[in-house]
Amino acid sequence: MMRRPDTTNNTTTPSKNGVTVHNKLRKGLWSPEEDDKLMTYMMTNGQGCWTDVARNAGLQRCGKSCRLRWINYLRPDLKRGAFSIEEEELIIHLHSILGNRWSQIAARLPGRTDNEIKNFWNSTIKKRLKNSSKPSSSTHDQAPSDANKELLMEDIMFMRLNSSSSSSSSSMHAFTINTNYNLVPFPDTISNDCFLNNISSSLAHDHGMYDDANAHGIITMGDGHMVEEGYDHYFVPPLESASQEENGTNLDYAYQNYSRNINEINSNMINLNVHHDTKNIIKGSNLVGSHEMWEEGHEKMKVGEWSLEDLIEDVSSFPLLDFQVE
DNA sequence: AAAAACCCCAACCGCAGAGTG
DNA sequence: TCACTCTGCGGTTGGGGTTTT
């Protein structure tokens, strides 16, 4: 299927000392034999310099091609088969936040590759969203819009103004995130309460700020009743491969402490009013963790400079929400 | 049944960033 | 500082499969 193996480039010339010289590198589809060679080599030696992999595995491929083949096809932890509804939902949500940052999206879908997600988006989701006749109030299938970004930026600017205006005050400066976002219930693989609990806190977190142990947010449910959240109830969509050191997110905390009543948030569309009273702004600290962490974080306290790009740079703790103008 | 149009997706390409000498 | 290599990313291509005409 797809591109034919480029056999015309598959020429080798034995040198005088018997060492095979690879005149040209192969392109195109991988043969089963090539797959075997690469798989065997990788399982035996592990990942190293891809140029070396290509050479040492006896493949007439460039390192780049080997890397791609391994990542997109041979890797043993790859998930095969069609995308589930849950995965599709997650892709849509993440895309609404990240745009075409496929590698970042893929990092949050275990077993899926950026290429796979990109293809899926371009061939299936994009089309579906385009053809969808649903009104804009249904954010399920919304591509990112400038209006959404503007809405977010307004809130960010609002936070900046409030925080910087009071930054001279050493302890209590307060600001409010007053945001209306439409949310889509998270698929059942992750409980809805975790999803919602994550929202306001991680919004603040990813904006480079966070409140201290008294942090709280108020989630307004679809029926208007309000639920308070605590800082120890947050869910962080985990990165598949990034280490804690790399991304500053402690995955061990990711799935903890979910005590909310799911029934409370089992509505299709929920308006969130997130209010944060914040004492401190901490950039780069863990979303959830011990008080010691917060103490440590205080050492780095600062009023950050934010841009939309910065905010979406790493959404490891970003809520799964669609930004939607109401 | 055959041709055309469309779909899917593996793999390529070019670029940018990091690392190294 | 520069040149080079390696790696990773996102955009694009193109060919086999499927559906439509």
Side-chain angles (χ1 to χ4, degrees):
Chain A
M1 189 182 165
M2 307 303 146
R3 300 171 196 265
R4 287 200 197 96
D6 188 354
T7 53
T8 60
N9 287 337
N10 190 17
T11 58
T12 59
T13 305
S15 66
K16 289 179 181 175
N17 60 9
V19 176
T20 299
V21 176
H22 303 279
N23 291 339
K24 296 250 182 176
L25 296 175
R26 280 171 57 89
K27 285 185 179 181
L29 289 183
W30 281 64
S31 67
E33 291 76 22
E34 288 177 307
D35 282 345
D36 282 346
K37 282 183 180 177
L38 180 57
M39 176 68 92
T40 302
Y41 182 88
M42 292 299 291
M43 299 308 269
T44 307
N45 301 284
Q47 186 174 323
C49 170
W50 284 109
T51 305
D52 291 343
V53 169
R55 184 173 50 243
N56 297 337
L59 292 161
Q60 296 162 240
R61 297 271 182 176
C62 66
K64 205 171 181 177
S65 182
C66 292
R67 173 185 166 271
L68 206 65
R69 185 62 175 173
W70 175 256
I71 289 175
N72 287 336
Y73 191 79
L74 294 176
R75 233 172 59 196
D77 60 326
L78 283 180
K79 191 185 290 184
R80 306 284 183 182
F83 283 86
S84 66
I85 298 297
E86 289 81 9
E87 286 175 317
E88 187 179 326
E89 296 279 359
L90 187 52
I91 290 169
I92 292 171
H93 279 301
L94 290 172
H95 188 273
S96 72
I97 297 166
L98 292 163
N100 294 357
R101 291 173 179 173
W102 306 116
S103 62
Q104 288 198 29
I105 294 173
R108 290 161 181 83
L109 278 95
R112 299 297 188 181
T113 70
D114 53 355
N115 204 38
E116 196 177 10
I117 293 169
K118 180 172 57 182
N119 284 332
F120 182 60
W121 180 271
N122 288 329
S123 64
T124 306
I125 300 180
K126 208 171 174 180
K127 197 185 311 167
R128 193 179 304 165
L129 297 187
K130 188 177 178 181
N131 294 335
S132 173
S133 59
K134 289 181 180 178
S136 60
S137 59
S138 173
T139 61
H140 228 70
D141 48 9
Q142 290 293 311
S145 70
D146 290 341
N148 289 340
K149 290 175 181 175
E150 285 174 16
L151 180 67
L152 176 59
M153 285 307 296
E154 283 178 15
D155 281 313
I156 294 163
M157 293 306 295
F158 185 78
M159 288 187 286
R160 289 182 62 174
L161 286 172
N162 279 272
S163 57
S164 57
S165 65
S166 54
S167 58
S168 57
S169 169
S170 60
S171 59
M172 287 282 194
H173 73 268
F175 59 86
T176 301
I177 307 169
N178 190 4
T179 308
N180 288 318
Y181 295 127
N182 286 335
L183 299 176
V184 178
F186 199 75
D188 57 14
T189 48
I190 301 170
S191 66
N192 286 350
D193 55 336
C194 307
F195 168 47
L196 285 174
N197 284 338
N198 179 38
I199 290 165
S200 59
S201 58
S202 53
L203 185 65
H205 173 266
D206 269 292
H207 293 193
M209 66 190 76
Y210 203 81
D211 41 358
D212 62 11
N214 293 320
H216 70 278
I218 303 297
I219 298 176
T220 305
M221 312 309 295
D223 61 1
H225 115 262
M226 300 177 85
V227 177
E228 186 175 1
E229 64 170 358
Y231 79 98
D232 57 343
H233 288 87
Y234 305 135
F235 168 73
V236 181
L239 282 168
E240 176 191 11
S241 56
S243 69
Q244 179 182 345
E245 290 74 19
E246 284 171 340
N247 61 34
T249 300
N250 189 340
L251 302 187
D252 291 334
Y253 291 112
Y255 293 97
Q256 65 179 359
N257 299 326
Y258 308 132
S259 56
R260 297 274 182 259
N261 181 354
I262 295 178
N263 294 330
E264 289 184 329
I265 50 179
N266 193 22
S267 59
N268 288 330
M269 201 57 64
I270 300 164
N271 295 323
L272 277 193
N273 286 310
V274 182
H275 302 284
H276 276 266
D277 294 322
T278 299
K279 289 182 181 177
N280 302 311
I281 295 174
I282 301 171
K283 194 175 180 77
S285 58
N286 275 1
L287 173 60
V288 271
S290 66
H291 289 280
E292 289 74 19
M293 282 181 176
W294 292 116
E295 289 304 317
E296 187 179 334
H298 285 211
E299 296 297 317
K300 300 174 184 173
M301 236 187 290
K302 67 175 183 179
V303 178
E305 289 292 322
W306 305 304
S307 68
L308 183 58
E309 285 302 309
D310 290 336
L311 297 180
I312 64 178
E313 188 66 31
D314 182 348
V315 295
S316 62
S317 59
F318 212 90
L320 300 165
L321 49 74
D322 287 333
F323 305 111
Q324 181 66 36
V325 179
E326 285 190 313

